[in-house]
Amino acid sequence: MGVNQMNDREIYEAILNDDNLENITMTDDDGRVFEMAQIGTMPMHDVVYGILELLTIDGREVTEEEAGLVMLELDCDDETGEIYVSTVDEDDLFDEVLDAFNALPED
């Protein structure tokens, strides 16, 4: 059974929809499929960051070494409507956003 792979617009809309808690699936440049659970969002630096937990890679559960958080930068060009979704690889930015997210009061 295959996982429904999402395009950037679908990922952007799913993460920004507070009523949607469905898992997010992405494919990397090497064709590997990643499934992630949504944890939350953090608006900062004129974009929104999606914070997710990695669940599976190519349909198999992640190992203890592979497990962890994934952060996506979600951006929309106001002029063209183009949607951009990219992973946050910069450690300082990742830590800054995660610290701000963790400082939010719980609902």
Side-chain angles (χ1 to χ4, degrees):
M1 178 172 150
V3 174
N4 182 30
Q5 298 175 34
M6 304 168 77
N7 64 37
D8 282 359
R9 180 169 295 281
E10 291 169 329
I11 292 167
Y12 180 91
E13 290 173 354
I15 291 175
L16 294 182
N17 179 348
D18 291 336
D19 295 326
N20 177 34
L21 299 176
E22 296 293 317
N23 290 345
I24 302 297
T25 57
M26 289 184 74
T27 303
D28 71 5
D29 293 337
D30 296 324
R32 295 180 302 176
V33 178
F34 300 86
E35 184 176 6
M36 298 160 284
Q38 297 185 57
I39 295 175
T41 59
M42 186 69 214
M44 287 179 74
H45 308 300
D46 298 322
V47 297
V48 175
Y49 296 94
I51 301 167
L52 306 106
E53 178 183 7
L54 185 59
L55 300 174
T56 68
I57 300 173
D58 291 333
R60 67 163 177 76
E61 280 191 39
V62 294
T63 64
E64 193 172 313
E65 288 104 24
E66 295 167 328
L69 296 179
V70 175
M71 189 176 296
L72 300 178
E73 183 176 305
L74 310 170
D75 196 11
C76 179
D77 184 314
D78 292 331
E79 291 181 20
T80 66
E82 187 77 26
I83 300 290
Y84 302 96
V85 176
S86 58
T87 55
V88 174
D89 296 323
E90 185 183 322
D91 290 341
D92 289 342
L93 177 60
F94 190 100
D95 292 342
E96 176 188 6
V97 173
L98 194 57
D99 287 346
F101 177 77
N102 287 331
L104 291 174
E106 293 190 32
D107 292 337

